[in-house]
């Protein structure tokens, strides 16, 4: 009993420490300039002035729409490419399959920064600058996603695959009629992971875009801070709250599926 009480106390303290920056950002977004100068933790009077100023300072809604489009397309492409690759590695036998799979997975060890410059020149030569293609296509092939789905696909009984062949189902029919519904949890997990990763991306969209037409909200948030001569933290925090709100909602809705899918991928 004592041990459990200590554990819950430590967990509560850890939760408070981890959540406090988010709580303080939300609190500052509702403060007046004088409250921020006095370094209050809670606003003396709640005001929406910072949110109104965000809407007029930068095209934040336009940035949010771009982020949603980019994150959705990337997530969809990532799911399709990863699922097809995982199915081949799990069900289609060919010589050297295991070696190819290990080589593919070993790309996880290559940091993204090492491939950034070659990818940039490729995008530039294709004429995809200032285009959604530049911000989505390079992220369709994801080694982690292929690994996660393959681990789940491997749990499908081989007898079921053989029975499907006897019934006359093609490999692709077996894929979308049996395998995809069976691995629904892993698809949801990978989808949430891909959406959140793409939503929070900053450096790559900054490299491949030069105007606001397709730029994402992370760049807009940085611009919000840069445009202020004496940084108005209430304004910046209001923008930050608007940016993290969709991701917090997505995490709240898909937390159980995300945890369940990652656990399955780690165990099986």
């Amino acid at each position: 009993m004592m041990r459990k009480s200590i554990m819950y106390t430590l967990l509560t303290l850890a939760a408070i420490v981890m959540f406090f920056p988010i709580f303080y950002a939300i609190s500052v977004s509702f403060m007046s300039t004088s409250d921020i100068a006095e370094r209050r933790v809670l606003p003396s009077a709640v005001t929406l002035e910072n949110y109104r100023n965000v809407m007029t300072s930068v095209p934040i809604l336009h940035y949010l729409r771009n982020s949603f489009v980019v994150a959705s397309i990337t997530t969809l492409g990532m799911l399709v490419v990863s699922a097809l690759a995982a199915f081949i590695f799990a069900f289609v036998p060919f010589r050297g399959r295991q070696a190819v799979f290990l080589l593919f997975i070993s790309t996880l060890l290559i940091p993204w920064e090492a491939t950034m410059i070659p990818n940039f020149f490729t995008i530039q030569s294709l004429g995809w600058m200032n285009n959604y293609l530049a911000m989505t296509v390079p992220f369709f092939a994801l080694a982690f996603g292929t690994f996660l789905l393959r681990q789940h696909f491997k749990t499908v009984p081989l007898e079921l695959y053989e029975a499907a062949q006897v019934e006359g189902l093609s490999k692709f029919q077996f894929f979308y009629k049996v395998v995809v519904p069976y691995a629904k949890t892993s698809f949801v997990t990978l989808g949430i992971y891909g959406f959140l990763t793409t939503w929070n991306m900053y450096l790559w969209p900054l490299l491949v875009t030069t105007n606001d037409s397709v730029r994402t909200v992370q760049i807009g948030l940085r611009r919000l801070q840069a445009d202020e001569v004496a940084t108005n933290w209430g304004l910046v925090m209001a923008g930050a709250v608007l940016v993290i709100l969709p991701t917090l909602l997505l995490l709240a809705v898909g937390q159980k599926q995300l945890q369940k899918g990652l656990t399955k991928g780690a165990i099986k």
Side-chain angles (χ1 to χ4, degrees):
M1 184 67 183
M2 178 64 73
R3 190 175 177 180
K4 190 176 285 187
S5 300
I6 294 173
M7 186 182 71
Y8 280 123
T9 303
L10 291 175
L11 286 174
T12 303
L13 289 174
I16 292 172
V17 171
M18 293 182 70
F19 185 72
F20 182 76
I22 298 175
F23 167 77
Y24 189 61
I26 296 172
S27 178
V28 169
S29 71
F30 290 105
M31 285 185 189
S32 61
T33 307
S34 58
D35 284 347
I36 298 171
E38 293 173 7
R39 300 182 179 179
R40 289 176 176 271
V41 176
L42 295 173
S44 57
V46 175
T47 175
L48 295 177
E49 188 64 26
N50 293 321
Y51 288 92
R52 282 193 286 267
N53 290 337
V54 167
M55 297 296 178
T56 55
S57 299
V58 295
I60 192 75
L61 295 179
H62 180 71
Y63 289 138
L64 283 169
R65 191 201 68 174
N66 285 340
S67 284
F68 184 77
V69 171
V70 170
S72 299
I73 294 175
T74 304
T75 303
L76 184 61
M78 188 186 297
L79 287 175
V80 172
V81 174
S82 298
L84 292 174
F87 181 79
I88 290 172
F89 285 127
F91 290 102
V92 180
F94 59 89
R95 183 176 293 180
R97 183 177 66 172
Q98 190 63 19
V100 173
F101 177 68
L102 290 176
L103 183 64
F104 185 71
I105 293 301
S106 67
T107 60
L108 283 169
L109 302 175
I110 302 174
W112 160 246
E113 288 78 8
T115 62
M116 192 166 53
I117 300 302
N119 281 337
F120 174 78
F121 284 123
T122 303
I123 294 299
Q124 195 177 41
S125 64
L126 291 172
W128 287 359
M129 296 294 287
N130 292 315
N131 195 303
Y132 287 134
L133 291 172
M135 291 188 286
T136 55
V137 173
F139 303 98
F140 283 178
L142 180 68
F144 168 73
T146 303
F147 173 76
L148 181 71
L149 294 180
R150 176 187 176 269
Q151 295 304 98
H152 204 163
F153 290 176
K154 293 284 281 184
T155 62
V156 176
L158 190 60
E159 292 78 10
L160 191 61
Y161 178 55
E162 293 171 347
Q165 287 185 313
V166 171
E167 288 294 325
L169 290 180
S170 66
K171 286 186 173 61
F172 188 69
Q173 286 175 321
F174 176 73
F175 168 71
Y176 74 84
K177 286 185 176 179
V178 179
V179 175
V180 172
Y182 179 80
K184 188 172 62 176
T185 303
S186 292
F187 276 101
V188 174
T189 302
L190 182 60
I192 294 172
Y193 170 81
F195 190 92
L196 293 179
T197 304
T198 310
W199 184 275
N200 292 321
M201 201 176 292
Y202 173 74
L203 185 56
W204 181 250
L206 183 65
L207 279 176
V208 298
T209 59
T210 55
N211 58 57
D212 287 341
S213 62
V214 292
R215 279 192 159 172
T216 55
V217 75
Q218 301 297 338
I219 301 174
L221 189 60
R222 182 68 185 87
R223 181 185 156 189
L224 192 64
Q225 185 180 357
D227 286 353
E228 295 295 318
V229 178
T231 302
N232 183 345
W233 289 111
L235 186 72
V236 174
M237 289 301 115
V241 170
L242 289 175
V243 171
I244 66 173
L245 199 57
T247 56
L248 287 178
L249 290 174
L250 185 63
L251 272 178
V253 172
Q255 184 183 8
K256 286 186 179 179
Q257 293 292 333
L258 183 64
Q259 186 179 5
K260 193 176 174 183
L262 288 175
T263 305
K264 279 186 176 182
I267 293 175
K268 292 177 180 176

